[in-house]
Amino acid sequence: MELNLHRLWIFMQVVEHQGFSAAAQRLYMSQPSVSNQVRRLEQSLKVTLIDRSGARARPTAEGEVLAEYGKRVFLLAEEAVAAVQQVSGLASGRLLVGGSTTVGTYLLPSLLARFQERHPGIECDVFVGNNEAVLERLLAGDIGVAVVAGVPTASQLLTETVLDERLVLVASPAHPLAGRAEVAPRDLADCRFLLREPGSQTRVLQEQALSEWELDAVSRGAVWGPEAAKQCVAASLGIALISEHAVVDDVHAGTLTVLPVSPAPRPRPVNLVRRRDRLLSPAERAFIDLLRSAGGWPRELPA
């Protein structure tokens, strides 16, 4: 029995995109060609790999097993490429870095710009999502290195604290509490708090702060992402705990104001994260060196 890697890759795309047509678009192939390649893979293994009975193509039990091994096969192939690239250095290549929402939006762009100035032959890409999405891709081997807020707990990951950040409570300048020298938690009991979506590490800290302020019963709403949260706060739909780095321009422009609540939320670490078993490419190692020497965020609010 022979396992054809080209057919295995096509099968992996069908599983990932949950359909033959979607996989065909991704692979720039015709849908019949994709179906034929998967069928021939099934014939060589003498099992059915894809359940075609529903609206979406889903792996059978045998297909799920093969897909897990397929991830490992192609991760090993990427590591082989990285090992070869270590010989050629940083003259060419590609760097993909993952970043949790705040980090990926307000830290990584300027950092990657500095990286590209030093290594113009390297193409730089960034994947931005909440912590859950970034770590899922990191564990799957889709991303080699990531920078996230908080401390991941998965045993397969190595973490290193490189920076920290604090959350600040922001409100519309028209808010009744705006302009106060200090705000006590009891003053916030009648406010509506806008929280990040589930899966966000910021959401965990927001709920932790509300608990520490004894505001567990306060009115709440959910908003996806810091930019949407800022717009909602500016429109007086509520107040929100947001990373200081996300609101620097808004505070300076006067569209948001910081409510100096005491005690302030505790700072959180920003961590460099990678898989223990992954061989890093020269570009990934050079990025890590740059991150370690960054010294701080591009812009910060006064303490």
Side-chain angles (χ1 to χ4, degrees):
M1 180 174 62
E2 180 181 340
L3 181 61
N4 183 292
L5 293 183
H6 175 63
R7 291 171 186 159
L8 176 61
W9 177 249
I10 293 174
F11 162 74
M12 297 290 290
Q13 297 304 306
V14 173
V15 171
E16 179 179 349
H17 297 286
Q18 299 183 339
F20 291 91
S21 296
Q25 291 177 0
R26 173 68 177 80
L27 295 168
Y28 301 101
M29 297 173 61
S30 68
Q31 190 271 336
S33 294
V34 170
S35 298
N36 182 54
Q37 291 297 323
V38 173
R39 187 174 296 107
R40 293 178 68 180
L41 179 62
E42 290 176 321
Q43 290 171 350
S44 69
L45 297 176
K46 296 181 174 57
V47 294
T48 300
L49 298 172
I50 297 293
D51 180 355
R52 300 166 173 80
S53 62
R56 293 184 177 180
R58 299 184 181 278
T60 62
E62 294 86 349
E64 289 179 354
V65 171
L66 183 62
E68 286 302 313
Y69 276 94
K71 290 179 182 178
R72 292 160 61 179
V73 167
F74 291 112
L75 177 58
L76 186 60
E78 289 181 10
E79 291 182 1
V81 172
V84 172
Q85 288 177 340
Q86 287 185 356
V87 179
S88 61
L90 291 163
S92 63
R94 178 171 175 263
L95 172 67
L96 173 62
V97 180
S100 56
T101 308
T102 300
V103 174
T105 304
Y106 303 104
L107 173 66
L108 290 186
S110 61
L111 202 61
L112 289 174
R114 288 165 57 189
F115 180 91
Q116 195 129 53
E117 286 178 3
R118 296 184 184 184
H119 310 290
I122 303 296
E123 297 180 2
C124 296
D125 297 313
V126 58
F127 170 79
V128 180
N130 62 32
N131 268 38
E132 187 176 275
V134 172
L135 295 178
E136 181 179 323
R137 293 209 172 194
L138 192 67
L139 289 167
D142 300 329
I143 298 172
V145 294
V147 188
V148 302
V151 183
T153 58
S155 61
Q156 305 98 308
L157 300 177
L158 285 174
T159 63
E160 175 187 343
T161 299
V162 289
L163 295 169
D164 59 21
E165 68 166 341
R166 61 189 176 114
L167 299 184
V168 293
L169 186 62
V170 292
S172 163
H175 195 278
L177 298 176
R180 286 202 187 185
E182 184 173 298
V183 176
R186 63 177 176 275
D187 299 326
L188 305 170
D190 294 329
C191 295
R192 184 171 188 258
F193 280 78
L194 302 177
L195 306 183
R196 284 284 304 278
E197 75 282 357
S200 164
Q201 211 275 332
T202 298
R203 171 68 174 257
V204 175
L205 289 188
Q206 289 170 332
E207 293 180 334
Q208 183 181 75
L210 291 178
S211 179
E212 291 176 352
W213 291 340
E214 299 182 353
L215 295 173
D216 299 280
V218 77
S219 175
R220 307 177 186 209
V223 181
W224 192 285
E227 290 299 318
K230 290 192 300 182
Q231 293 299 320
C232 290
V233 171
S236 298
L237 295 177
I239 61 178
L241 281 162
I242 302 177
S243 168
E244 62 174 314
H245 310 291
V247 299
V248 172
D249 291 337
D250 307 89
V251 171
H252 287 317
T255 56
L256 294 177
T257 188
V258 175
L259 302 182
V261 62
S262 180
R266 65 186 71 176
R268 63 178 173 181
V270 174
N271 280 285
L272 166 69
V273 189
R274 62 186 180 89
R275 279 181 53 147
R276 293 180 183 275
D277 59 353
R278 186 183 178 104
L279 179 65
L280 297 178
S281 69
E284 289 167 342
R285 288 188 283 110
F287 170 78
I288 290 173
D289 290 341
L290 176 61
L291 177 62
R292 287 169 175 162
S293 65
W297 292 70
R299 301 185 65 191
E300 296 181 305
L301 288 172

